[in-house]
Structure formats: C-alpha cells, structure tokens
Amino acid sequence: MDKPKTMQCPKCRATMEEVNYHDILVQRCVACKGIWFEGVSHKDLKNHRGAERIDIGPEELGRAFDHLADVHCPDCGKPMQRVPDPFKPHLHYDACPAHDGFFFDAGEFRDFKKDTLADFFKDLALKFKKPG
C-alpha cells in the first residue's frame, strides 16, 4: 500500500493531514486549518450530513489567511486563482486551474455547506453595492 503524499499548506506552508469523511479524502492544514479538496470533492461532501465537522478552524483564523495573493497549488505548485462561489458571491476560495483542486480557508467550507437567510441578504447586498 502506498503511503499518502505529504502536502504543504498553500497559505501558511505547514504540513497537511489527511482527513477521511464518508470515504472522501481531503487534506487539512494542521496550523491554519484550511482544507484542500481534490476535484469536486467539496461538492460531494456538501451533500453529506455532518461533513461540516471537517472544517475545525475558526472563521477569524481563515480570514487572517484569506487575502494572501501568492498562493500555489499544494499538489502541482502552479499559481492558484481566487474565485467566487457562483451561488454565494460573498464566499470565495482558491482554485488550481491546472487540475481542479480547491482550497478553502478555515470556516469557508462550513459557509459553503449551509444555506441560510443571512446568506441571501449578504448576496443581495453585494449585488447592490456601488463600485468604488
């Protein structure tokens, strides 16, 4: 059996640990608690009850790393792009355009997973926000 590849966090460069939830593997940073999802595993986990438990970091910690600009894929090393969630414009995450990987800062997967009335108003406010 092959030993899992050790990854470094694209935000804080700490080691990432493998987390398994319903046979879906993700990598979670031991320091900043950000989560790396291969392919569309974040969408698969969104449909599993209780999957938000893999996101153990406080939102405040995630916000501290949220604005880093020079973020590289922990798998291939290519620059990642900051992309908004198409259904929650207030939420964005880092995506690797080379191979469909996504990095969520601490607290972002919990936000991605839940749909609330507050999300509706956050998104509505963003639509009417004046540029500038």
Side-chain angles (χ1 to χ4, degrees):
M1 178 185 261
D2 291 336
K3 186 177 178 181
K5 178 169 108 173
T6 302
M7 288 186 167
Q8 284 187 306
C9 176
K11 295 284 182 102
C12 75
R13 309 301 300 155
T15 301
M16 298 187 74
E17 63 184 347
E18 191 172 81
V19 176
N20 183 335
Y21 193 86
H22 286 272
D23 294 327
I24 298 173
L25 297 174
V26 300
Q27 297 284 329
R28 183 176 58 214
C29 179
V30 299
C32 75
K33 307 302 181 198
I35 304 170
W36 171 253
F37 296 92
E38 285 288 334
V40 294
S41 58
H42 61 295
K43 292 179 182 178
D44 296 335
L45 276 174
K46 184 176 186 172
N47 298 319
H48 283 286
R49 173 177 259 151
E52 65 277 1
R53 288 180 276 190
I54 67 166
D55 191 353
I56 62 173
E59 291 177 29
E60 298 78 26
L61 181 58
R63 280 194 293 273
F65 289 93
D66 195 33
H67 301 290
L68 292 179
D70 190 25
V71 180
H72 290 81
C73 175
D75 195 24
C76 72
K78 294 190 176 168
M80 293 176 55
Q81 298 172 343
R82 188 172 164 166
V83 296
D85 183 271
F87 302 105
K88 294 184 175 196
H90 70 275
L91 177 64
H92 63 271
Y93 32 84
D94 300 286
C96 177
H99 76 280
D100 286 335
F102 299 89
F103 186 81
F104 285 64
D105 292 306
E108 288 179 343
F109 181 69
R110 288 190 308 270
D111 189 358
F112 172 76
K113 190 168 180 339
K114 70 179 176 184
D115 292 318
T116 67
L117 189 57
D119 288 329
F120 171 79
F121 287 112
K122 282 181 196 174
D123 296 340
L124 189 62
L126 282 173
K127 287 179 185 176
F128 291 104
K129 187 177 179 180
K130 293 181 181 179

